[in-house]
Amino acid sequence: MNRLGYLAASIVAALSATGFAQTTTTLSLQVSGATHSTVIHVPAGIDKPPVVFFIHGATGSGSGFANDTKGNTTADREKFIAVYPSADSKGGSGTWADMQGTTNFPFFFAILDTLDARYKIDRNRIYMTGFSQGGFISYAAACFYSDKFAAVAPVSGHSGTSCSIKRPVPVFSTFGSAEGAASFKPDLDTWLKLDKCPTTATTIKPYPASSANSKAVRETFAPCDQNTTVILDTIIGEGHQWPAASSLNQSDEVWAFFKQYSLGGTAFAHPQRVAQSREPFTVSYAAGIVSVGGVGGNSRVQVTDTKGKLVATPVLTQNQFSFKNKPSGVYLVKARGSAGLFVSKFIVP
């Protein structure tokens, strides 16, 4: 028997009836001898959609977490399928029995197989976020299934240390300052080592800098191995909760991070072929100035976003160009040198 186990006939009927209009459905799955349920939100107008798992914390439920995160609003705008699984009865009322292992994942993979059969999902763009116990499980996804999940965003959860990843995993971790920063430092250190990141962060306080009332502080560690990134957000004054006191929408922030990444030969959702240079091709950003190394000092370069949209075509002056007053995000610099085309990224916090 495959990992799906037995699918209830009602599941197939429900999926067949939904079409591709916007719909929110609660599905029941029989996996490994246990009954599981999940809320599935499918936006209208999807085409090979990504999937985001939202994993609730202790005493929670899939439907309750959908209400807490308001993830459906983000899903409708960005056209991804939002999945809100519920803990099965073995863990007690709304409690996940296994937070740092793999026993929940046959259930999650059964959900993916069911969705794929109906909607032809993008298997290279599967993501997971979660709060508390759900944060633990999100880290487990990165630890044990780095070849299945393109990126993760744990909130107030901890990572296991016995990870053996198959690829670097972009990680966006969030916690409240009232929870105690020291308790989350080992988790950050684990992923900085696993993803081979720099140990010095670019810090934005408040984040975003344009919002003086924001209670978020963002530390960005990049570039890591294969152009991945590790981000740590601290919400000043908050305790153990899905972020609410900041001026940010956590579901929007999570998706802004996720959509940059995909499985494949590179961490980027839009991979670029990069030529090998005799001198290192480097790109860095600081205070509105982009510095470029490895090409001629007066070369013209192209700057695009991660979707390939052209943003600027500056000429380098002493291997730099101005990039002030641009939206926060990830950008790609393309330059042509004697050895061919070079591509690298930089981040505007």
Side-chain angles (χ1 to χ4, degrees):
M1 182 180 297
N2 62 27
R3 65 189 179 198
L4 267 171
Y6 294 102
L7 289 179
S10 59
I11 299 171
V12 178
L15 285 174
S16 299
T18 59
F20 293 94
Q22 183 190 92
T23 182
T24 302
T25 308
T26 299
L27 304 180
S28 293
L29 295 170
Q30 281 281 71
V31 182
S32 302
T35 300
H36 303 257
S37 69
T38 183
V39 174
I40 306 291
H41 180 78
V42 180
I46 57 172
D47 180 19
K48 198 173 177 61
V51 176
V52 177
F53 283 85
F54 292 80
I55 311 297
H56 68 76
T59 72
S61 67
S63 59
F65 202 46
N67 183 64
D68 292 341
T69 62
K70 304 297 187 291
N72 292 354
T73 301
T74 307
D76 287 338
R77 184 181 67 249
E78 302 292 340
K79 303 304 180 186
F80 63 82
I81 295 178
V83 177
Y84 305 91
S86 291
D88 67 38
S89 58
K90 290 183 179 179
S93 178
T95 301
W96 296 96
D98 179 12
M99 295 185 294
Q100 292 188 307
T102 61
T103 53
N104 298 303
F105 286 86
F107 170 34
F108 301 152
F109 293 141
I111 294 170
L112 288 176
D113 288 347
T114 304
L115 292 175
D116 203 12
R118 181 65 183 91
Y119 300 107
K120 305 301 180 185
I121 61 175
D122 188 344
R123 289 279 190 166
N124 284 323
R125 305 192 70 197
I126 308 300
Y127 311 97
M128 182 176 287
T129 185
F131 166 66
S132 191
Q133 288 191 348
F136 280 82
I137 293 169
S138 298
Y139 272 127
C143 281
F144 301 115
Y145 298 105
S146 59
D147 57 337
K148 305 294 184 185
F149 292 90
V152 299
V155 175
S156 296
H158 292 295
S159 174
T161 57
S162 58
C163 293
S164 181
I165 57 176
K166 298 179 180 179
R167 54 174 280 275
V169 183
V171 175
F172 171 24
S173 180
T174 305
F175 72 98
S177 66
E179 297 183 83
S183 67
F184 291 90
K185 182 70 162 55
D187 307 306
L188 174 64
D189 290 344
T190 292
W191 284 96
L192 293 182
K193 291 176 182 177
L194 286 170
D195 285 344
K196 299 178 181 178
C197 300
T199 55
T200 301
T202 299
T203 302
I204 304 298
K205 180 182 180 179
Y207 174 82
S210 58
S211 179
N213 294 326
S214 174
K215 297 184 183 299
V217 178
R218 174 160 296 184
E219 297 174 83
T220 301
F221 299 84
C224 306
D225 195 17
Q226 295 186 30
N227 286 324
T228 55
T229 300
V230 171
I231 291 177
L232 180 66
D233 271 11
T234 306
I235 312 301
I236 303 300
E238 279 199 351
H240 192 66
Q241 64 183 86
W242 183 260
S246 73
S247 61
L248 303 179
N249 179 312
Q250 184 70 10
S251 292
D252 284 353
E253 291 296 317
V254 165
W255 177 249
F257 179 74
F258 283 164
K259 70 181 181 181
Q260 303 172 62
Y261 301 105
S262 174
L263 298 178
T266 176
F268 272 118
H270 303 275
Q272 304 287 334
R273 184 175 296 277
V274 181
Q276 296 296 316
S277 173
R278 296 177 183 176
E279 298 181 18
F281 178 62
T282 60
V283 177
S284 61
Y285 173 89
I289 300 297
V290 179
S291 300
V292 181
V295 296
N298 296 315
S299 299
R300 181 177 294 277
V301 300
Q302 290 186 343
V303 182
T304 68
D305 62 20
T306 55
K307 294 182 179 180
K309 180 181 178 181
L310 185 65
V311 177
T313 56
V315 175
L316 299 180
T317 302
Q318 296 182 340
N319 292 98
Q320 296 181 333
F321 64 88
S322 176
F323 202 72
K324 297 180 179 179
N325 302 318
K326 299 296 184 181
S328 299
V330 178
Y331 295 86
L332 301 180
V333 173
K334 301 179 183 180
R336 188 167 293 279
S338 60
L341 178 67
F342 306 97
V343 183
S344 190
K345 77 166 184 175
F346 66 94
I347 298 173
V348 176

